[in-house]
Amino acid sequence: METTNNKIANLKVEISENCTEKQVEIISLYWEIEEMKFVNMPKQIIEKFELSQSELSKLIASHSTLFLFIHCENCNSYEKQQAKSKTQFLELIKKTSTRSRLLFKCNHCTQQEIKKLNLEKAKKQDELIQKFENAITDKNWRNLSKFEKGILVNCLTMNFKKLTNHYGNQLGQSQFIRFIKALENIANQNLLLLERDRRTNYIVGFQKLERLSDFSEDIFVQEEVSESSVEVDSETNELKFKLVINKNQYHPDSPTHAGTFTLKERIMLEPDVEYIYGFWPRANENLYVTMTPLENLEKLPIQKRISDQPISLQKGIQDFLKNLGQNL
């Protein structure tokens, strides 16, 4: 069984000693090769010897083996391979083609490549952990907005599916991009590693350092005590502050939200002035409340409820509240 292909050497068919003369003839015809091409098609053998396809396949697989040596260009050596069918043999031959994307590599080279890949993977993992550690040491959450801090805190207790459902319901489809951008910014601070689908590049999960959970209160406190950008001596007719969750609800009659607050400016709430009020859910079940004079939106006729306004004004008020909530 000669070949002019210098990447293939020493083709040899071994036939079981228990075969009859007829079976040896069938097997020999099946494996007959010239210039790396099979001489006889299975259909010809089946018709000549009145066999079924299953009978031929069973005979070849159980009573014969084609051995060959394939050249590994990676280490310039030959490695012994075997095939139990023409299909297996052709798959091996494909790997010797210069057009193949999966060139043949011997077992030694394959194992060395796997070892190298594992070392590179371990190195990248160590580098990632070090980035996480540095981000915690530097308290990179200080570089996040309140909205992003809330997402980060929730990442410590929620998986990705629960997190997306939570903010999907809170923001709605039109504003969901805010959630995605916030995750990307958190990842830019090396506080999360985002996992993406290779085909769509969509975020499908995230990784974090487990000990980041030890700093959840620190992240939360930073959000609570951040200084107001409003000057102390200034005056406003709008009231905005957070209603924090009451952690000491020991009795059914205890309030769900309670705490103290100090005004950084003078708040003027006038009598007989109609105000728009709104509540927005925030991280850790906190709420954010605002009260804004209706006249701050635009000059409108005095109305009592949004639902009583003309449809065009209802939309204007709802859009105002929606845009206001995005910037809290």
Side-chain angles (χ1 to χ4, degrees):
M1 193 174 285
E2 298 295 332
T3 174
T4 57
N5 188 337
N6 58 11
K7 297 181 181 180
I8 307 294
N10 298 343
L11 275 74
K12 181 181 179 181
V13 176
E14 288 191 1
I15 303 175
S16 172
E17 295 178 354
N18 298 325
C19 289
T20 63
E21 291 184 4
K22 180 180 178 181
Q23 289 175 327
V24 171
E25 182 182 2
I26 293 171
I27 293 172
S28 298
L29 289 172
Y30 178 88
W31 286 118
E32 187 175 356
I33 296 175
E34 291 182 3
E35 298 299 329
M36 301 308 296
K37 293 182 180 180
F38 288 103
V39 176
N40 303 301
M41 299 296 291
K43 184 178 180 181
Q44 296 173 309
I45 300 174
I46 289 172
E47 291 177 352
K48 180 178 179 178
F49 294 93
E50 297 182 348
L51 300 170
S52 67
Q53 179 64 57
S54 61
E55 288 174 330
L56 177 62
S57 298
K58 184 177 180 180
L59 173 64
I60 299 301
S62 59
H63 291 84
S64 70
T65 303
L66 174 62
F67 290 99
L68 66 157
F69 285 81
I70 302 180
H71 181 250
C72 173
E73 294 186 2
N74 195 58
C75 64
N76 195 29
S77 66
Y78 282 85
E79 183 176 75
K80 189 176 183 180
Q81 298 287 314
Q82 67 179 47
K84 300 292 287 186
S85 68
K86 289 182 178 181
T87 301
Q88 288 183 6
F89 173 76
L90 293 174
E91 287 297 321
L92 289 171
I93 296 303
K94 280 183 183 179
K95 294 181 180 181
T96 66
S97 171
T98 55
R99 293 177 294 178
S100 175
R101 291 180 296 175
L102 298 173
L103 290 175
F104 175 80
K105 290 183 180 179
C106 66
N107 184 64
H108 172 74
C109 290
T110 300
Q111 293 302 316
Q112 289 297 109
E113 188 173 89
I114 292 174
K115 183 178 179 180
K116 181 181 177 181
L117 290 174
N118 287 338
L119 288 173
E120 291 177 352
K121 184 177 179 181
K123 182 181 178 181
K124 289 181 179 180
Q125 186 67 18
D126 290 341
E127 291 174 349
L128 174 63
I129 292 175
Q130 189 58 54
K131 285 184 178 180
F132 281 161
E133 292 285 359
N134 293 341
I136 291 176
T137 300
D138 297 338
K139 297 186 177 182
N140 282 9
W141 51 80
R142 291 176 175 176
N143 301 325
L144 303 177
S145 67
K146 292 181 180 180
F147 179 62
E148 291 163 349
K149 288 179 184 177
I151 291 178
L152 178 58
V153 169
N154 283 328
C155 285
L156 303 179
T157 57
M158 296 182 183
N159 59 34
F160 183 70
K161 182 178 180 180
K162 186 175 181 180
L163 191 73
T164 53
N165 289 338
H166 174 76
Y167 284 98
N169 294 332
Q170 179 176 313
L171 298 173
Q173 184 176 359
S174 63
Q175 293 299 318
F176 191 71
I177 189 64
R178 286 187 63 220
F179 167 70
I180 299 300
K181 289 182 177 179
L183 280 178
E184 290 175 340
N185 195 38
I186 295 171
N188 289 339
Q189 294 298 326
N190 294 322
L191 295 165
L192 293 177
L193 175 67
L194 301 181
E195 300 171 348
R196 295 181 180 272
D197 183 277
R198 292 184 178 180
R199 183 175 60 86
T200 64
N201 202 39
Y202 290 165
I203 300 172
V204 295
F206 59 82
Q207 296 180 36
K208 64 182 184 298
L209 203 62
E210 288 302 321
R211 80 180 195 91
L212 183 61
S213 298
D214 298 338
F215 298 86
S216 59
E217 291 189 5
D218 189 23
I219 298 171
F220 179 77
V221 168
Q222 291 295 329
E223 181 179 356
E224 291 293 317
V225 302
S226 58
E227 295 183 0
S228 171
S229 61
V230 182
E231 295 179 4
V232 175
D233 295 331
S234 65
E235 182 178 299
T236 181
N237 58 1
E238 296 181 346
L239 179 62
K240 302 177 182 179
F241 66 97
K242 181 178 290 185
L243 298 178
V244 296
I245 191 73
N246 180 17
K247 296 182 179 179
N248 300 314
Q249 298 180 44
Y250 301 120
H251 190 275
D253 293 331
S254 297
T256 58
H257 296 75
T260 64
F261 67 90
T262 301
L263 298 176
K264 296 279 188 165
E265 57 193 342
R266 182 170 179 161
I267 308 295
M268 297 295 294
L269 301 181
E270 301 289 348
D272 300 323
V273 174
E274 189 165 10
Y275 291 84
I276 304 171
Y277 69 88
F279 286 84
W280 285 266
R282 283 295 176 259
N284 301 312
E285 300 182 0
N286 296 322
L287 298 174
Y288 199 94
V289 60
T290 69
M291 296 183 198
T292 306
L294 191 61
E295 63 185 20
N296 284 13
L297 175 60
E298 59 180 272
K299 291 183 179 180
L300 298 173
I302 297 176
Q303 304 290 332
K304 290 188 177 181
R305 292 188 301 180
I306 294 176
S307 59
D308 292 333
Q309 301 278 8
I311 292 177
S312 60
L313 294 180
Q314 286 185 39
K315 186 177 185 305
I317 294 174
Q318 294 290 1
D319 288 344
F320 173 74
L321 291 172
K322 181 178 179 181
N323 293 331
L324 183 62
Q326 293 172 9
N327 298 316
L328 297 178

